Amino acid sequence: MLILSCSSKLRLLEGMLQRGLPDTLPVYGTVMHVNRGNPAGQEVLVDSWPAFKTVLTRPCREVARDPSDYFTNLYTAFYRDEGACRALLENSRAVDWGQAFQIQGLQDGVYETIRDIARARGLEMETYPYRLLLHPDPPAMPQYRPDKGLRLAPMSPAHAMLLRDTWNFGGNSRSLRYLCLLIRHFPNACLLAPEGTPISWSLTDQLVALTHGYTLPEHRGQHHMKLVVGMLAAQLHARGFPVYTRVLPHNEPSLHTLQRLGFHILPGVFSRLVVRPGFTQSQPASARDSAQDPAPSSGERRHAQ
């Protein structure tokens, strides 16, 4: 296990991951942020270098201070060899299994390995399977003008309470702190009403993924999210970032809106796995393999348009 701290190696890794898109997207986006100031305090591990078989990103130890904060304790994983991935994830020096954490990835082996290790350790795992959507040509995305009296703008930390209260994972100080981190350090966009209150918005996260896209219920049906996503996509593309997001399979309004903007639904499942010691799960860990509807909450409420 090696921690990559050399900037030249990290830039080289970014190029390697870029050639593996879209399978590498969660890790690739995280490494991009690490190489551009590392605002979330992430570090990058590999099983070997330069001929790595697996890559793991995780919070630096000084960042992962709260053992119950699975928002901050965020990992991503990509592998070329499933056995190497399993060996790294089982290594307690690589993954702190005594903490609550979440891990995200696109490959079945990540889901299966985390599930197996969690079961062996007597831990519970909550599973959120998403559809992955990627925009192949952001400059070609349709651009819309806001209605009179409305204006597009970045989010402010002053808006964090509103975001927390409209987020399925909100309602506590940890989620509020996490949303403030996203607002302060990562690209975002919102549509402001004349009095300055956000009525529609979207953030991006440590993985560069669009997240927490939401329109207030009384303002839906007016295509506000198309303006927000268009502004945010332009920001991301200008910085060289991919433009992608993840949506629960049954969230038809969001899928429809994004496809009309030119996003393509990619094959496979984007897994978000939450492991919390002592957590009483509301969703069977095997739901991804069953005929049941996936987890009812994604952390991102629908923004029906």
Side-chain angles (χ1 to χ4, degrees):
M1 181 186 81
L2 302 171
I3 299 176
L4 293 186
S5 56
C6 173
S7 58
S8 62
K9 290 180 179 179
L10 286 166
R11 288 194 298 270
L12 181 59
L13 175 63
E14 181 181 322
M16 294 175 176
L17 294 170
Q18 184 180 37
R19 292 191 289 273
L21 292 173
D23 290 344
T24 60
L25 263 173
V27 171
Y28 174 63
T30 306
V31 171
M32 290 188 79
H33 276 314
V34 170
N35 285 335
R36 290 156 180 79
N38 200 13
Q42 294 277 307
E43 59 186 11
V44 182
L45 284 70
V46 292
D47 63 308
S48 59
W49 183 260
F52 66 87
K53 296 179 181 177
T54 188
V55 184
L56 180 72
T57 69
R58 70 181 185 187
C60 298
R61 295 306 185 193
E62 58 269 23
V63 171
R65 294 188 300 267
D66 185 345
S68 60
D69 184 1
Y70 69 88
F71 300 103
T72 301
N73 302 336
L74 170 63
Y75 295 72
T76 66
F78 166 75
Y79 65 83
R80 293 169 171 167
D81 179 272
E82 190 172 341
C85 179
R86 182 174 290 269
L88 189 61
L89 294 177
E90 286 178 336
N91 188 336
S92 59
R93 293 187 297 115
V95 177
D96 189 343
W97 287 90
Q99 289 188 328
F101 68 90
Q102 60 173 302
I103 185 167
Q104 301 190 31
L106 280 166
Q107 297 163 295
D108 289 343
V110 175
Y111 162 74
E112 292 164 357
T113 298
I114 295 296
R115 177 198 62 194
D116 294 347
I117 300 172
R119 285 176 177 172
R121 291 174 176 264
L123 305 174
E124 302 287 356
M125 183 180 80
E126 192 172 36
T127 306
Y128 299 95
Y130 295 88
R131 302 302 304 272
L132 177 68
L133 295 95
L134 174 69
H135 203 293
D137 187 14
M141 187 179 299
Q143 297 295 314
Y144 300 87
R145 292 185 178 181
D147 295 337
K148 187 176 180 180
L150 305 178
R151 63 185 178 92
L152 288 164
M155 299 292 293
S156 162
H159 302 144
M161 291 286 285
L162 173 63
L163 270 63
R164 184 198 67 178
D165 293 341
T166 54
W167 198 31
N168 286 344
F169 284 117
N172 56 65
S173 60
R174 296 184 186 92
S175 62
L176 182 63
R177 183 170 63 238
Y178 177 69
L179 290 168
C180 285
L181 169 75
L182 299 189
I183 292 170
R184 287 192 174 102
H185 296 294
F186 300 102
N188 62 76
C190 71
L191 189 64
L192 296 175
E195 68 274 14
T197 302
I199 60 174
S200 185
W201 60 81
S202 181
L203 307 179
T204 58
D205 61 15
Q206 299 99 314
L207 287 63
V208 193
L210 277 68
T211 189
H212 195 7
Y214 188 78
T215 299
L216 295 177
E218 61 270 27
H219 294 280
R220 292 177 183 168
Q222 301 175 59
H223 308 291
H224 292 328
M225 187 54 62
K226 293 179 180 178
L227 282 81
V228 171
V229 172
M231 177 183 177
L232 190 47
Q235 290 184 55
L236 292 169
H237 181 72
R239 300 184 189 190
F241 291 127
V243 178
Y244 77 102
T245 189
R246 49 200 185 268
V247 177
L248 285 174
H250 57 261
N251 190 345
E252 293 295 337
S254 290
L255 291 169
H256 179 68
T257 295
L258 292 165
Q259 285 180 285
R260 290 195 65 178
L261 287 171
F263 282 81
H264 292 181
I265 298 178
L266 301 184
V269 176
F270 188 114
S271 293
R272 178 177 182 271
L273 312 172
V274 179
V275 178
R276 289 187 273 184
F279 172 63
T280 302
Q281 69 180 29
S282 60
Q283 169 74 13
S286 60
R288 237 184 75 164
D289 305 318
S290 73
Q292 300 179 29
D293 195 45
S297 64
S298 68
E300 299 147 19
R301 295 176 187 258
R302 299 184 183 188
H303 50 248
Q305 292 289 336

